[in-house]
Amino acid sequence: MSKKKIVLTVIASALCGSMLTVLAAGVFLRSAGIYGDDVLRLFGVMKFIQSRYVDAPDTSVLVDGAIDGMVASLGDPHSVYMPPEVFRTLRQQTEGSFGGIGVTMGFKDGTVKIISVLDGTPGAAAGLRAGDEILAVDGIPTNELPSEEVALRIRGEVGTQVTLHILHDGAEQDVTITRDVIQVHSVRGVMVDGTTIGYIRIASFAEHTGDEFAAEMARLGEAGMTSLILDLRENPGGLITSCVAVAEQIVPAGPIVSVINRDGDTEVYRSHLSARKYPIAVLIDENSASASEILAGALQDTGAATIVGTTSYGKGSVQAVMPLFHDDGLKLTIAKYITPNGRSIDGTGITPDIAVDRTPADTTDVQFEAAKKYLEEHPNL
């Protein structure tokens, strides 16, 4: 027998031997109607890799890769597999403080753009602004990284540095920033000078946003507030439960949002507020997404507020976060939501009642001024 035939025979024997156990088990499972050919292919390939790959692989790493590939194949940027470091980062984002630069990013059409920059953070001190595009992190192009890994690489140990290659005002530049502890304070409020208009900005919907919003509403009410500007610009969303906690304080009794899963089952979140207390103008922009769109949509549909600004981002889906067994996790789109009037804004966004664009040439916040003027002209809505 020729050497070529011997080699082919060895390879064929190895392949058959590697697959035999899995195939036998698969036949049994298929007879029970549990698994199909696709599962046999998956475990057959895994068994072959384990037995024949030139370097002995780590089985856990193989499983991680398989999960990551499955989720990536959905083509949904909001569904991601999160290895332990990324999953830890996600928990920190909604629960506490972390080492970072103080920016929130949006991932759309293959680009990474800054949605918001927290005041008093290293990102703000470095001159980063909403709309800046992040092209690379420490020399690694962002288009070569999963979205969650971009965030992971920007965050890190307090006192260490990260270099971002960004597109800022049409020009590319490198910005080196020293990470610091970022405290997540999602709500702040002030009285507008010379008026009885209150102003509250919600930067994101984190764990305690509902309580923070209630405290600011009470404080401004005691200061004489008679109407409210609610600023949801550059708000990327967050926890739907926190969004509902805010909505319950300003949306009149009735539906806030309806969440519909793949089977058509619907969960309706409702407000029991007898009536709104103040006229409200809501500021949104193209970076207002997810939970901020839920709140703006509920206020718009119920006539409880007038929406001012530019059309929002258009993220009308709901994700569930599931811890796995190795300190990793899965974030998966499990439902879509509709506003009280039955609107799905996924891909279209919330259209403002009063459209006001911003440009770099503006010397004042024209959207804020438009909201203020509207409330001054309509004090008893």
Side-chain angles (χ1 to χ4, degrees):
M1 183 180 292
S2 69
K3 289 184 178 179
K4 182 176 181 181
K5 288 183 178 180
I6 292 174
V7 170
L8 291 175
T9 301
V10 169
I11 292 175
S13 299
L15 177 59
C16 291
S18 300
M19 300 284 284
L20 185 58
T21 302
V22 175
L23 290 173
V27 169
F28 171 77
L29 292 172
R30 288 178 63 191
S31 68
I34 298 174
Y35 291 89
D37 292 342
D38 286 338
V39 175
L40 295 180
R41 287 193 300 136
L42 173 65
F43 285 99
V45 169
M46 180 175 172
K47 182 66 177 176
F48 186 53
I49 291 173
Q50 288 175 316
S51 63
R52 299 299 298 168
Y53 182 63
V54 63
D55 296 316
D58 184 323
T59 299
S60 292
V61 173
L62 293 180
V63 173
D64 291 348
I67 296 172
D68 188 29
M70 281 191 288
V71 177
S73 72
L74 299 174
D76 174 15
H78 308 301
S79 294
V80 292
Y81 167 69
M82 296 172 287
E85 298 85 354
V86 178
F87 189 46
R88 190 179 309 117
T89 298
L90 178 70
R91 293 198 305 269
Q92 290 172 340
Q93 184 174 355
T94 57
E95 294 175 1
S97 61
F98 51 88
I101 63 173
V103 303
T104 301
M105 294 167 291
F107 304 88
K108 194 172 187 179
D109 300 328
T111 62
V112 181
K113 288 190 176 181
I114 295 175
I115 291 178
S116 63
V117 183
L118 296 177
D119 294 337
T121 62
L128 299 181
R129 293 204 309 261
D132 289 347
E133 183 176 346
I134 301 176
L135 303 176
V137 180
D138 287 333
I140 301 177
T142 54
N143 60 13
E144 297 180 2
L145 298 171
S147 58
E148 297 290 341
E149 190 171 342
V150 173
L152 173 64
R153 289 181 177 275
I154 291 177
R155 292 183 177 182
E157 185 178 349
V158 172
T160 60
Q161 291 186 327
V162 60
T163 298
L164 304 182
H165 187 63
I166 66 170
L167 182 63
H168 178 88
D169 287 341
E172 295 186 21
Q173 63 184 86
D174 284 329
V175 180
T176 299
I177 307 171
T178 301
R179 300 178 177 97
D180 200 353
V181 174
I182 306 299
Q183 297 290 343
V184 181
H185 299 295
S186 58
V187 182
R188 67 178 179 87
V190 296
M191 292 296 296
V192 178
D193 290 342
T195 74
T196 58
I197 300 174
Y199 168 89
I200 294 180
R201 167 158 174 73
I202 302 179
S204 65
F205 290 93
E207 185 176 1
H208 301 294
T209 300
D211 292 336
E212 293 176 12
F213 183 78
E216 289 299 279
M217 286 285 284
R219 186 177 65 82
L220 295 181
E222 292 175 358
M225 177 173 65
T226 60
S227 59
L228 171 67
I229 296 174
L230 178 60
D231 193 347
L232 299 178
R233 294 175 297 180
E234 301 177 6
N235 181 324
L239 303 175
I240 190 171
T241 50
S242 294
C243 170
V244 169
V246 172
E248 289 172 336
Q249 302 174 54
I250 52 177
V251 174
I256 296 170
V257 64
S258 298
V259 179
I260 305 173
N261 68 16
R262 61 185 290 174
D263 297 324
D265 298 329
T266 302
E267 181 177 10
V268 181
Y269 293 88
R270 297 181 179 276
S271 170
H272 301 283
L273 185 69
S274 58
R276 67 172 186 177
K277 191 173 181 179
Y278 306 106
I280 302 173
V282 179
L283 297 174
I284 63 171
D285 66 6
E286 62 277 8
N287 294 317
S288 302
S290 191
S292 60
E293 294 176 291
I294 290 175
L295 182 56
L299 288 165
Q300 186 178 55
D301 281 6
T302 58
T306 297
I307 312 299
V308 180
T310 54
T311 300
S312 62
Y313 187 90
K315 180 180 179 291
S317 58
V318 179
Q319 285 71 44
V321 176
M322 181 175 69
L324 301 179
F325 295 103
H326 291 176
D327 296 324
D328 49 354
L330 176 66
K331 183 167 68 172
L332 185 70
T333 298
I334 59 167
K336 295 187 179 295
Y337 70 77
I338 60 174
T339 68
N341 283 354
R343 291 186 293 162
S344 172
I345 57 87
D346 199 42
T348 58
I350 299 290
T351 301
D353 301 306
I354 302 174
V356 182
D357 290 325
R358 287 186 294 182
T359 70
D362 293 334
T363 57
T364 62
D365 186 342
V366 293
Q367 294 173 337
F368 172 84
E369 293 298 332
K372 175 185 172 185
K373 179 181 178 182
Y374 180 80
L375 290 177
E376 288 174 335
E377 294 177 350
H378 302 83
N380 298 308
L381 294 176

